[in-house]
Amino acid sequence: MTPLWWLVFCVLAMSLTSTVTQDVCRAPDGRDGATGPPGRPGRPGLKGEPGDPGAPGIRTGIRGLKGDEGDPGLSGSPGKMGYPGPSGPLGAPGAPGLKGTKGNPGDINDQPRPAFSAVRRNPPTGGNVVIFDMVITNEEGRYHSNSGRFVCAVPGYYYFSFQVVSKWDICLSIMSTRKGQAPHSLGFCDTNSKGNFQVVSGSTVVQLQEGDQVWIEKDPVKGRIYQGSEADSVFNGFLIFPSF
């Protein structure tokens, strides 16, 4: 027998021997062992695809009755004041009131009657205000002979006039001033080339309030007034009617 065949024979003999041995010597299967502890949780799976929309549900409920009205809540804080609205249209005139009772009879003697008249005799020199220093009449004492000014105490309309004697060219003005305003001037001028006595005069009506003043003022250049016993210069004024 060749060595190759001898090798094949040996292999077959060993395989047969192993098979017979397994069938004859195998023990019966044992009992199942006890359940082991649970294993660790596995990792989360991938997110699944969205499912198909479900069928619409069927409404089977019955609407209940309206409940009772609840108690009112607490008052809130007052809001901020709004902007004032536009002015409304002017209303219709009201009905005339009842006629008043008749007043007491008036007395002309109770009415204010400021009036004055003054002439120039020995006036102070200097300045442009023409001072009429000698008072003829001064009802209620509103003319001041030391300053040559009339100071109003009774509001109303007044008449003022002057007549001034001169032998030269002369310009004079009736000056009046009101509170908070510049003085108002009313001018009068006359020429005199012969050197004779000549009278320049002027007058006006003005409305005055309490505290207003009126006086005569001369031009600084053409303001020379005659001073002597042959002729007098005079300044007058009085209330025409009050305006209370």
Side-chain angles (χ1 to χ4, degrees), residues 62-85:
I62 301 174
R63 186 173 183 179
L65 299 176
K66 183 178 181 181
D68 297 333
E69 185 175 353
D71 297 331
L74 298 176
S75 300
S77 302
K80 296 182 180 180
M81 182 177 293
Y83 294 104

PDB file of all heavy atoms in Angstrom, residues 62-85:
ATOM      1  N   ILE A  62     -74.032  67.874  23.224  1.00  0.00           N
ATOM      2  CA  ILE A  62     -75.128  68.844  23.168  1.00  0.00           C
ATOM      3  C   ILE A  62     -74.694  70.095  23.915  1.00  0.00           C
ATOM      4  O   ILE A  62     -74.182  70.004  25.041  1.00  0.00           O
ATOM      5  CB  ILE A  62     -76.420  68.257  23.790  1.00  0.00           C
ATOM      6  CG1 ILE A  62     -76.818  66.987  23.043  1.00  0.00           C
ATOM      7  CG2 ILE A  62     -77.538  69.279  23.773  1.00  0.00           C
ATOM      8  CD1 ILE A  62     -77.985  66.264  23.678  1.00  0.00           C
ATOM      9  N   ARG A  63     -74.879  71.311  23.282  1.00  0.00           N
ATOM     10  CA  ARG A  63     -74.477  72.578  23.895  1.00  0.00           C
ATOM     11  C   ARG A  63     -75.323  72.851  25.133  1.00  0.00           C
ATOM     12  O   ARG A  63     -76.553  72.782  25.085  1.00  0.00           O
ATOM     13  CB  ARG A  63     -74.630  73.715  22.899  1.00  0.00           C
ATOM     14  CG  ARG A  63     -74.090  75.036  23.421  1.00  0.00           C
ATOM     15  CD  ARG A  63     -74.127  76.070  22.339  1.00  0.00           C
ATOM     16  NE  ARG A  63     -73.549  77.317  22.787  1.00  0.00           N
ATOM     17  CZ  ARG A  63     -73.428  78.387  22.035  1.00  0.00           C
ATOM     18  NH1 ARG A  63     -73.836  78.344  20.763  1.00  0.00           N
ATOM     19  NH2 ARG A  63     -72.885  79.500  22.514  1.00  0.00           N
ATOM     20  N   GLY A  64     -74.652  73.175  26.226  1.00  0.00           N
ATOM     21  CA  GLY A  64     -75.373  73.406  27.461  1.00  0.00           C
ATOM     22  C   GLY A  64     -76.029  74.780  27.505  1.00  0.00           C
ATOM     23  O   GLY A  64     -75.793  75.648  26.666  1.00  0.00           O
ATOM     24  N   LEU A  65     -76.872  75.016  28.540  1.00  0.00           N
ATOM     25  CA  LEU A  65     -77.555  76.288  28.712  1.00  0.00           C
ATOM     26  C   LEU A  65     -76.562  77.360  29.189  1.00  0.00           C
ATOM     27  O   LEU A  65     -75.550  77.053  29.821  1.00  0.00           O
ATOM     28  CB  LEU A  65     -78.688  76.133  29.729  1.00  0.00           C
ATOM     29  CG  LEU A  65     -79.790  75.133  29.356  1.00  0.00           C
ATOM     30  CD1 LEU A  65     -80.793  74.999  30.486  1.00  0.00           C
ATOM     31  CD2 LEU A  65     -80.487  75.560  28.069  1.00  0.00           C
ATOM     32  N   LYS A  66     -76.884  78.647  28.891  1.00  0.00           N
ATOM     33  CA  LYS A  66     -76.048  79.761  29.305  1.00  0.00           C
ATOM     34  C   LYS A  66     -76.072  79.892  30.821  1.00  0.00           C
ATOM     35  O   LYS A  66     -77.139  79.833  31.448  1.00  0.00           O
ATOM     36  CB  LYS A  66     -76.533  81.062  28.670  1.00  0.00           C
ATOM     37  CG  LYS A  66     -75.658  82.259  29.004  1.00  0.00           C
ATOM     38  CD  LYS A  66     -76.175  83.507  28.309  1.00  0.00           C
ATOM     39  CE  LYS A  66     -75.288  84.700  28.632  1.00  0.00           C
ATOM     40  NZ  LYS A  66     -75.794  85.930  27.982  1.00  0.00           N
ATOM     41  N   GLY A  67     -74.917  80.032  31.413  1.00  0.00           N
ATOM     42  CA  GLY A  67     -74.836  80.132  32.859  1.00  0.00           C
ATOM     43  C   GLY A  67     -75.267  81.504  33.378  1.00  0.00           C
ATOM     44  O   GLY A  67     -75.496  82.454  32.621  1.00  0.00           O
ATOM     45  N   ASP A  68     -75.397  81.626  34.718  1.00  0.00           N
ATOM     46  CA  ASP A  68     -75.790  82.887  35.339  1.00  0.00           C
ATOM     47  C   ASP A  68     -74.663  83.915  35.207  1.00  0.00           C
ATOM     48  O   ASP A  68     -73.482  83.557  35.157  1.00  0.00           O
ATOM     49  CB  ASP A  68     -76.102  82.665  36.824  1.00  0.00           C
ATOM     50  CG  ASP A  68     -77.297  81.726  37.017  1.00  0.00           C
ATOM     51  OD1 ASP A  68     -78.143  81.688  36.105  1.00  0.00           O
ATOM     52  OD2 ASP A  68     -77.360  81.049  38.064  1.00  0.00           O
ATOM     53  N   GLU A  69     -75.069  85.195  35.174  1.00  0.00           N
ATOM     54  CA  GLU A  69     -74.091  86.279  35.060  1.00  0.00           C
ATOM     55  C   GLU A  69     -73.268  86.369  36.336  1.00  0.00           C
ATOM     56  O   GLU A  69     -73.803  86.303  37.453  1.00  0.00           O
ATOM     57  CB  GLU A  69     -74.797  87.608  34.819  1.00  0.00           C
ATOM     58  CG  GLU A  69     -73.845  88.772  34.575  1.00  0.00           C
ATOM     59  CD  GLU A  69     -74.599  90.037  34.227  1.00  0.00           C
ATOM     60  OE1 GLU A  69     -75.829  89.955  34.056  1.00  0.00           O
ATOM     61  OE2 GLU A  69     -73.945  91.099  34.127  1.00  0.00           O
ATOM     62  N   GLY A  70     -71.952  86.517  36.178  1.00  0.00           N
ATOM     63  CA  GLY A  70     -71.077  86.584  37.331  1.00  0.00           C
ATOM     64  C   GLY A  70     -71.125  87.931  38.042  1.00  0.00           C
ATOM     65  O   GLY A  70     -71.684  88.910  37.542  1.00  0.00           O
ATOM     66  N   ASP A  71     -70.571  87.984  39.236  1.00  0.00           N
ATOM     67  CA  ASP A  71     -70.508  89.233  39.989  1.00  0.00           C
ATOM     68  C   ASP A  71     -69.575  90.218  39.302  1.00  0.00           C
ATOM     69  O   ASP A  71     -68.575  89.817  38.699  1.00  0.00           O
ATOM     70  CB  ASP A  71     -69.999  88.957  41.413  1.00  0.00           C
ATOM     71  CG  ASP A  71     -70.948  88.060  42.197  1.00  0.00           C
ATOM     72  OD1 ASP A  71     -72.162  88.115  41.910  1.00  0.00           O
ATOM     73  OD2 ASP A  71     -70.475  87.310  43.075  1.00  0.00           O
ATOM     74  N   PRO A  72     -69.890  91.546  39.373  1.00  0.00           N
ATOM     75  CA  PRO A  72     -68.994  92.535  38.751  1.00  0.00           C
ATOM     76  C   PRO A  72     -67.628  92.556  39.420  1.00  0.00           C
ATOM     77  O   PRO A  72     -67.505  92.355  40.640  1.00  0.00           O
ATOM     78  CB  PRO A  72     -69.735  93.862  38.956  1.00  0.00           C
ATOM     79  CG  PRO A  72     -70.663  93.622  40.102  1.00  0.00           C
ATOM     80  CD  PRO A  72     -71.046  92.173  40.036  1.00  0.00           C
ATOM     81  N   GLY A  73     -66.599  92.793  38.625  1.00  0.00           N
ATOM     82  CA  GLY A  73     -65.253  92.859  39.162  1.00  0.00           C
ATOM     83  C   GLY A  73     -64.997  94.170  39.884  1.00  0.00           C
ATOM     84  O   GLY A  73     -65.825  95.092  39.884  1.00  0.00           O
ATOM     85  N   LEU A  74     -63.836  94.281  40.526  1.00  0.00           N
ATOM     86  CA  LEU A  74     -63.459  95.493  41.244  1.00  0.00           C
ATOM     87  C   LEU A  74     -63.174  96.629  40.260  1.00  0.00           C
ATOM     88  O   LEU A  74     -62.731  96.390  39.141  1.00  0.00           O
ATOM     89  CB  LEU A  74     -62.217  95.218  42.103  1.00  0.00           C
ATOM     90  CG  LEU A  74     -62.390  94.147  43.196  1.00  0.00           C
ATOM     91  CD1 LEU A  74     -61.061  93.906  43.902  1.00  0.00           C
ATOM     92  CD2 LEU A  74     -63.470  94.544  44.186  1.00  0.00           C
ATOM     93  N   SER A  75     -63.450  97.865  40.683  1.00  0.00           N
ATOM     94  CA  SER A  75     -63.194  99.033  39.838  1.00  0.00           C
ATOM     95  C   SER A  75     -61.697  99.203  39.629  1.00  0.00           C
ATOM     96  O   SER A  75     -60.903  99.051  40.566  1.00  0.00           O
ATOM     97  CB  SER A  75     -63.767 100.297  40.474  1.00  0.00           C
ATOM     98  OG  SER A  75     -65.162 100.172  40.638  1.00  0.00           O
ATOM     99  N   GLY A  76     -61.317  99.525  38.406  1.00  0.00           N
ATOM    100  CA  GLY A  76     -59.916  99.776  38.114  1.00  0.00           C
ATOM    101  C   GLY A  76     -59.482 101.158  38.559  1.00  0.00           C
ATOM    102  O   GLY A  76     -60.296 101.996  38.961  1.00  0.00           O
ATOM    103  N   SER A  77     -58.188 101.415  38.510  1.00  0.00           N
ATOM    104  CA  SER A  77     -57.658 102.736  38.863  1.00  0.00           C
ATOM    105  C   SER A  77     -58.107 103.763  37.833  1.00  0.00           C
ATOM    106  O   SER A  77     -58.215 103.448  36.646  1.00  0.00           O
ATOM    107  CB  SER A  77     -56.125 102.695  38.914  1.00  0.00           C
ATOM    108  OG  SER A  77     -55.696 101.733  39.858  1.00  0.00           O
ATOM    109  N   PRO A  78     -58.388 105.008  38.262  1.00  0.00           N
ATOM    110  CA  PRO A  78     -58.796 106.027  37.290  1.00  0.00           C
ATOM    111  C   PRO A  78     -57.689 106.303  36.289  1.00  0.00           C
ATOM    112  O   PRO A  78     -56.510 106.326  36.635  1.00  0.00           O
ATOM    113  CB  PRO A  78     -59.088 107.259  38.166  1.00  0.00           C
ATOM    114  CG  PRO A  78     -58.413 106.996  39.467  1.00  0.00           C
ATOM    115  CD  PRO A  78     -58.333 105.519  39.642  1.00  0.00           C
ATOM    116  N   GLY A  79     -58.069 106.521  35.039  1.00  0.00           N
ATOM    117  CA  GLY A  79     -57.096 106.815  33.996  1.00  0.00           C
ATOM    118  C   GLY A  79     -56.602 108.243  34.074  1.00  0.00           C
ATOM    119  O   GLY A  79     -57.105 109.069  34.849  1.00  0.00           O
ATOM    120  N   LYS A  80     -55.573 108.547  33.283  1.00  0.00           N
ATOM    121  CA  LYS A  80     -55.025 109.898  33.236  1.00  0.00           C
ATOM    122  C   LYS A  80     -56.001 110.848  32.557  1.00  0.00           C
ATOM    123  O   LYS A  80     -56.783 110.448  31.709  1.00  0.00           O
ATOM    124  CB  LYS A  80     -53.698 109.901  32.485  1.00  0.00           C
ATOM    125  CG  LYS A  80     -52.605 109.093  33.173  1.00  0.00           C
ATOM    126  CD  LYS A  80     -51.309 109.173  32.390  1.00  0.00           C
ATOM    127  CE  LYS A  80     -50.211 108.373  33.077  1.00  0.00           C
ATOM    128  NZ  LYS A  80     -48.935 108.441  32.324  1.00  0.00           N
ATOM    129  N   MET A  81     -55.937 112.131  32.976  1.00  0.00           N
ATOM    130  CA  MET A  81     -56.818 113.133  32.388  1.00  0.00           C
ATOM    131  C   MET A  81     -56.443 113.362  30.920  1.00  0.00           C
ATOM    132  O   MET A  81     -55.280 113.518  30.592  1.00  0.00           O
ATOM    133  CB  MET A  81     -56.723 114.449  33.162  1.00  0.00           C
ATOM    134  CG  MET A  81     -57.649 115.533  32.636  1.00  0.00           C
ATOM    135  SD  MET A  81     -57.549 117.051  33.635  1.00  0.00           S
ATOM    136  CE  MET A  81     -58.252 116.481  35.161  1.00  0.00           C
ATOM    137  N   GLY A  82     -57.435 113.361  30.080  1.00  0.00           N
ATOM    138  CA  GLY A  82     -57.178 113.577  28.658  1.00  0.00           C
ATOM    139  C   GLY A  82     -56.982 115.056  28.331  1.00  0.00           C
ATOM    140  O   GLY A  82     -57.155 115.943  29.177  1.00  0.00           O
ATOM    141  N   TYR A  83     -56.595 115.311  27.093  1.00  0.00           N
ATOM    142  CA  TYR A  83     -56.415 116.687  26.641  1.00  0.00           C
ATOM    143  C   TYR A  83     -57.783 117.381  26.508  1.00  0.00           C
ATOM    144  O   TYR A  83     -58.780 116.730  26.184  1.00  0.00           O
ATOM    145  CB  TYR A  83     -55.712 116.716  25.280  1.00  0.00           C
ATOM    146  CG  TYR A  83     -54.301 116.200  25.334  1.00  0.00           C
ATOM    147  CD1 TYR A  83     -53.985 114.924  24.852  1.00  0.00           C
ATOM    148  CD2 TYR A  83     -53.283 116.971  25.871  1.00  0.00           C
ATOM    149  CE1 TYR A  83     -52.677 114.434  24.908  1.00  0.00           C
ATOM    150  CE2 TYR A  83     -51.974 116.499  25.932  1.00  0.00           C
ATOM    151  CZ  TYR A  83     -51.686 115.231  25.448  1.00  0.00           C
ATOM    152  OH  TYR A  83     -50.411 114.766  25.511  1.00  0.00           O
ATOM    153  N   PRO A  84     -57.828 118.700  26.782  1.00  0.00           N
ATOM    154  CA  PRO A  84     -59.111 119.391  26.631  1.00  0.00           C
ATOM    155  C   PRO A  84     -59.566 119.387  25.177  1.00  0.00           C
ATOM    156  O   PRO A  84     -58.766 119.526  24.255  1.00  0.00           O
ATOM    157  CB  PRO A  84     -58.795 120.817  27.126  1.00  0.00           C
ATOM    158  CG  PRO A  84     -57.311 120.947  27.007  1.00  0.00           C
ATOM    159  CD  PRO A  84     -56.746 119.581  27.223  1.00  0.00           C
ATOM    160  N   GLY A  85     -60.830 119.220  25.008  1.00  0.00           N
ATOM    161  CA  GLY A  85     -61.397 119.222  23.667  1.00  0.00           C
ATOM    162  C   GLY A  85     -61.499 120.628  23.105  1.00  0.00           C
ATOM    163  O   GLY A  85     -61.272 121.626  23.802  1.00  0.00           O
TER     164      GLY A  85
END
